[in-house]
Amino acid sequence: MIGGFPIELLALQLFTGLALGSVFVLLAVGLSLIFGLLTVVNFAHGAFYMLGAYAGVFFIGYLGNFWLTLAVVPFAVGAVGLGVERWLVRPLYGRGIDYPLMLTFGLAYILVEVVRILFGAEGMPFDAPDALMGAVNIGVGYFPAYRLFVIAATAVLVVALWLFLEKTSYGLVIRAGARDSEIVRVLGIDISLVWLVVFGLGTAVAGLAGVLSAPMRSVFPDMGTTVLVEAFVVTVVGGMGSLAGAVVAGLLVGVVVSMTSLFAPAMAEVSMFALMALVLLVRPQGLFGKKGLMG
Amino acid sequence: MSDKVKSKLTRKFPGVSRRSVLKSAAVGATAIGAGPLMFNIAKAASETIRIGFPVPLTGPYGSEAQEQARCAQIAVDQFNAGGGLGGRMAELLVRDDKLKPGEAATRTLELIEKDKVHFVCGSLSASVQLSVNAVTKARGIIYVSISQSDAINEAKDFSKYTFHEAMNPHMTAGAVGRYAFPKFGKRVAFLIADYAYGHEMVRGFKQAGEAHGIEVVAEVTHPLASKDFSPFLPQIQAARPDVLCLCNFGYDQMNSLKQATGFGMKQQMQVLAPALLYNQRRAGGAGAYEGVIGGANYHWTLENSVASAKAFNDAYRKENEGAPPSDYGAYGYAGVGALLDGVKKAGTTDSDPVIAALEELKYDKYKGTQYYRKCDHQSVQSVFIIESKSKKDMANEYDVFDIVHTDEASEDVLRSCAELGHEA
């Protein structure tokens, strides 16, 4: 017994926190990617996440298969992302960080409203596939099979992104472009194509997060609003633009929220912001962030 | 998919129907034609009966609010088709209160001062209705509230102008508890949205549970509009309850239910939701809701046994491509319908005679006989205990609930007048 709670409950609560944390990682990766490589603060991240969930509803009705849907949705949302970068964000590069911020802020409202008009305001049903229904005994208690799958999917996604960015020549070009776009351009590489791909990738990941979250968090037009906040907290705590930071911060935020929910449920929501404030006081650039990136 | 999208696109927001405009125009023309001498009398007798209807058309309950407005318009159309009040037609003025108490107060004030409404009906939130009520009672305008609240019955907020058509959390949670506790066990856990409505439902359950000797084994509150309920669920599982009461609403209910289902909790305990909503169930899917037992003011399948339900459904279906109305939509229909019945009975739109008429009224708009209790103007009505069907048992997409029990209309299930602070 610790603090009046049995050890098994605390262990399960901790595990729940890590699982919740992996959802936070999933939510934050796309945002972190776009910010880290383009210095674009994508306020439409939550809207792309919501688009992912609705694309999931659409494709699962059309294809009838969850796994196929999971494969198709990132491409569909990524395609929207490509269009947004090409025609909306691109003209704003070099004008300061607040221009794309304002643009994506407005875009988020438009996307939500379009979905509301097309699909209605009350939301759509979306169930986990039959194979992942139900709970699995993980030793300290029962845990939803679907959440275990989401943890695995997030791990695969993060590793794949890391390999792509760090170990491939495309990744090398992308990282070089983020560090000094001028030189990359001089070397004869079409940097605007690189930025296009990165933005598309970031939105595709947001879409994937949306469809993966749909069976847990329901599908409705405003589902992205709170997600944006959660993703920002994780990104800021981890350090803007750091993939490793997003992973560590996501898990940390998950555990903090979960433990607070047990000991002081009224504080559950506030706890992640308290954590953020604390981190910012000690390390203003975030846990893994580089100093002066925003300057 | 495409049919569904199309039907949503074509289902326009119901304002004043063309028919009702033409009718009042015709009546107006007759009055003018009656000549200058008759003009004043004719004007008073033909002045449109205006009902303000503030509901949260935008925001999380938007679809529910539009449904309420659609149903209220049906009540108005029926009143007008029946000749109105000796030729005086009724008109519904729908406004968006954005689910905010301040906004609702402003809109209500505008409706009264600028649009000169005779009555107000509406709201879809416990706190918003109190704010509307504060405005209407100060100006002596009758207000029929159509969303759940315990506070509105209490003497502190009540005035003679206040009527409450919706059920209240006390009677809903009580009915569900009385049905479920003897059946499923005494060990009870609560998952509570941390606001007035959540705590009101808990109180209703506990009072109903006293007679059955329930033991509260877990009481977990969560912040309003939580997205992830997973951190709240392990403690409930660890407490090993027989019954879990979800004392939350809307998306909170849907998400907590989805996630509890994921945790396999429905195999371990019976899940109860005091306000089990039709639209929320349809958005949440059969899987998450299957087997959940809850309370409702209405489910359209009531038409198999109640004639007024059949009539209401048919009127609604005619205008909505065969889809049946929702539970909260029915509140809009009954609230405005009962009010207009009262007007007809009183023969005037003046507040005091209409209040007297409403207090005497026995009305059957959609679910069997109802009446307003004298002391707090709470509508005494039956509560239906419903169980969510599994996908394979559904006859069609609208067939989502089974009515498993009816708690007949009775003042016994309400808190007593004395308990609420009313004299005698």
Side-chain angles (χ1 to χ4, degrees):
Chain A
M1 299 283 274
I2 298 173
F5 295 106
I7 298 289
E8 293 80 37
L9 176 56
L10 289 173
L12 185 59
Q13 196 76 27
L14 182 70
F15 187 81
T16 308
L18 288 171
L20 180 64
S22 74
V23 176
F24 286 147
V25 174
L26 184 66
L27 302 180
V29 165
L31 186 75
S32 185
L33 204 62
I34 291 177
F35 181 78
L37 301 171
L38 302 182
T39 339
V40 168
V41 181
N42 182 16
F43 260 79
H45 181 72
F48 283 110
Y49 163 90
M50 178 274 300
L51 277 189
Y54 272 91
V57 172
F58 178 79
F59 283 117
I60 211 161
Y62 194 72
L63 302 167
N65 180 308
F66 178 79
W67 308 104
L68 272 179
T69 304
L70 216 51
V72 173
V73 165
F75 288 98
V77 179
V80 178
L82 291 179
V84 167
E85 200 279 346
R86 176 61 190 84
W87 286 291
L88 297 176
V89 179
R90 187 174 295 182
L92 303 178
Y93 288 140
R95 292 206 196 192
I97 198 166
D98 40 352
Y99 281 76
L101 189 153
M102 291 309 288
L103 176 104
T104 49
F105 187 78
L107 180 66
Y109 277 100
I110 293 170
L111 290 176
V112 170
E113 216 46 51
V114 166
V115 165
R116 212 191 297 260
I117 291 167
L118 289 180
F119 293 93
E122 66 272 83
M124 301 292 233
F126 196 114
D127 288 330
D130 290 339
L132 296 175
M133 282 287 201
V136 180
N137 192 345
I138 54 162
V140 285
Y142 282 87
F143 204 77
Y146 187 76
R147 275 181 196 253
L148 295 175
F149 164 71
V150 171
I151 296 173
T154 307
V156 169
L157 175 72
V158 170
V159 170
L161 279 176
W162 183 80
L163 286 176
F164 175 70
L165 290 174
E166 299 290 331
K167 300 291 169 193
T168 66
S169 49
Y170 298 104
L172 186 67
V173 171
I174 290 173
R175 280 180 295 131
R179 188 164 305 176
D180 195 334
S181 56
E182 205 67 26
I183 296 290
V184 171
R185 197 172 281 147
V186 168
L187 290 173
I189 290 166
D190 184 357
I191 191 74
S192 55
L193 188 68
V194 174
W195 287 339
L196 182 71
V197 169
V198 170
F199 198 91
L201 192 63
T203 49
V205 170
L208 183 65
V211 68
L212 278 173
S213 305
M216 298 183 289
R217 294 182 158 207
S218 307
V219 181
F220 53 100
D222 293 307
M223 65 187 286
T225 328
T226 41
V227 162
L228 184 66
V229 177
E230 291 166 344
F232 264 112
V233 169
V234 171
T235 311
V236 168
V237 169
M240 297 287 260
S242 163
L243 195 59
V247 174
V248 173
L251 296 178
L252 184 64
V253 170
V255 169
V256 166
V257 168
S258 178
M259 284 301 168
T260 323
S261 303
L262 183 60
F263 290 102
M267 300 287 145
E269 212 173 11
V270 185
S271 63
M272 69 164 77
F273 300 105
L275 175 72
M276 180 169 79
L278 199 68
V279 168
L280 288 180
L281 280 175
V282 182
R283 272 184 74 85
Q285 69 272 40
L287 295 175
F288 287 74
K290 293 184 275 292
K291 257 194 178 127
L293 196 58
M294 292 290 285
Chain B
M1 170 68 64
S2 69
D3 280 353
K4 191 164 185 197
V5 173
K6 197 172 134 227
S7 78
K8 282 201 170 117
L9 281 173
T10 48
R11 194 181 300 159
K12 290 230 180 66
F13 170 69
V16 185
S17 75
R18 186 178 301 144
R19 211 178 334 139
S20 69
V21 171
L22 283 176
K23 260 185 212 148
S24 36
V27 175
T30 326
I32 292 167
L37 268 180
M38 291 289 289
F39 187 74
N40 280 337
I41 306 158
K43 188 182 166 211
S46 68
E47 193 195 8
T48 314
I49 302 166
R50 287 178 298 272
I51 303 167
F53 200 76
V55 281
L57 297 171
T58 55
Y61 304 151
S63 59
E64 211 73 75
Q66 303 207 358
E67 172 91 355
Q68 291 190 317
R70 271 197 291 278
C71 292
Q73 185 62 45
I74 293 176
V76 168
D77 289 344
Q78 288 176 347
F79 174 80
N80 291 344
L85 176 63
R88 278 180 78 182
M89 295 292 130
E91 181 191 359
L92 193 70
L93 291 85
V94 181
R95 297 290 183 267
D96 185 7
D97 70 23
K98 301 192 177 148
L99 205 60
K100 292 178 184 148
E103 183 80 19
T106 313
R107 293 284 88 80
T108 306
L109 207 54
E110 265 175 26
L111 281 166
I112 296 171
E113 302 286 339
K114 203 169 119 258
D115 299 309
K116 308 270 180 233
V117 295
H118 300 91
F119 309 102
V120 175
C121 176
S123 98
L124 189 46
S125 142
S127 56
V128 172
Q129 65 182 287
L130 294 178
S131 141
V132 172
N133 184 47
V135 174
T136 49
K137 79 179 187 189
R139 280 167 182 71
I141 299 280
I142 292 175
Y143 170 48
V144 183
S145 163
I146 52 172
S147 70
Q148 291 217 11
S149 165
D150 272 341
I152 199 154
N153 295 138
E154 289 162 16
K156 181 164 64 70
D157 280 294
F158 178 78
S159 76
K160 65 175 180 173
Y161 304 105
T162 310
F163 287 81
H164 194 235
E165 170 59 34
M167 307 193 299
N168 59 40
H170 181 86
M171 64 196 282
T172 320
V176 175
R178 279 188 297 275
Y179 173 78
F181 293 145
K183 266 200 171 62
F184 302 108
K186 294 188 191 327
R187 295 173 62 83
V188 179
F190 293 100
L191 182 66
I192 310 153
D194 199 4
Y195 71 135
Y197 182 54
H199 294 291
E200 284 175 354
M201 286 190 278
V202 175
R203 191 179 56 192
F205 270 124
K206 284 184 177 167
Q207 286 189 0
E210 270 171 25
H212 302 287
I214 63 161
E215 177 195 354
V216 178
V217 294
E219 209 163 339
V220 180
T221 51
H222 68 78
L224 199 55
S226 291
K227 280 296 158 295
D228 213 306
F229 291 85
S230 63
F232 302 104
L233 302 179
Q235 8 179 355
I236 293 175
Q237 280 179 302
R240 305 196 176 282
D242 302 319
V243 175
L244 168 63
C245 304
L246 295 178
C247 299
N248 49 18
F249 190 78
Y251 290 123
D252 279 347
Q253 184 189 89
M254 183 158 92
N255 277 334
S256 56
L257 199 46
K258 266 192 143 171
Q259 295 171 21
T261 305
F263 271 82
M265 288 165 76
K266 285 206 303 220
Q267 280 82 46
Q268 300 156 8
M269 58 200 84
Q270 174 63 44
V271 178
L272 307 179
L276 190 52
L277 300 182
Y278 172 78
N279 278 342
Q280 215 72 53
R281 152 63 191 83
R282 294 194 58 206
Y289 277 80
E290 182 179 346
V292 173
I293 291 176
N297 59 312
Y298 187 64
H299 183 54
W300 63 272
T301 53
L302 191 64
E303 68 182 12
N304 298 327
S305 55
V306 177
S308 57
K310 177 93 176 91
F312 169 51
N313 288 346
D314 287 344
Y316 184 90
R317 283 193 183 108
K318 210 158 56 186
E319 295 184 15
N320 295 282
E321 294 128 20
S326 79
D327 37 23
Y328 266 65
Y331 280 145
Y333 177 73
V336 169
L339 182 63
L340 288 171
D341 280 2
V343 168
K344 224 169 192 166
K345 197 168 166 210
T348 171
T349 52
D350 295 341
S351 288
D352 283 327
V354 175
I355 291 169
L358 285 172
E359 285 179 346
E360 296 303 315
L361 195 67
K362 299 261 185 218
Y363 58 102
D364 178 3
K365 303 278 24 152
Y366 73 111
K367 62 185 294 189
T369 306
Q370 296 173 253
Y371 64 93
Y372 294 107
R373 180 165 72 168
K374 186 111 185 178
C375 73
D376 62 352
H377 292 171
Q378 167 63 40
S379 174
V380 180
Q381 57 190 300
S382 40
V383 182
F384 302 103
I385 307 298
I386 52 178
E387 180 168 353
S388 197
K389 288 186 164 189
S390 69
K391 193 159 194 158
K392 63 175 179 3
D393 293 333
M394 288 166 57
N396 56 55
E397 61 166 313
Y398 310 115
D399 181 27
V400 295
F401 296 131
D402 265 331
I403 299 176
V404 292
H405 176 75
T406 304
D407 225 24
E408 296 298 343
S410 160
E411 290 186 23
D412 299 342
V413 303
L414 301 174
R415 288 184 292 168
S416 70
C417 295
E419 204 179 330
L420 295 167
H422 298 287
E423 290 162 23

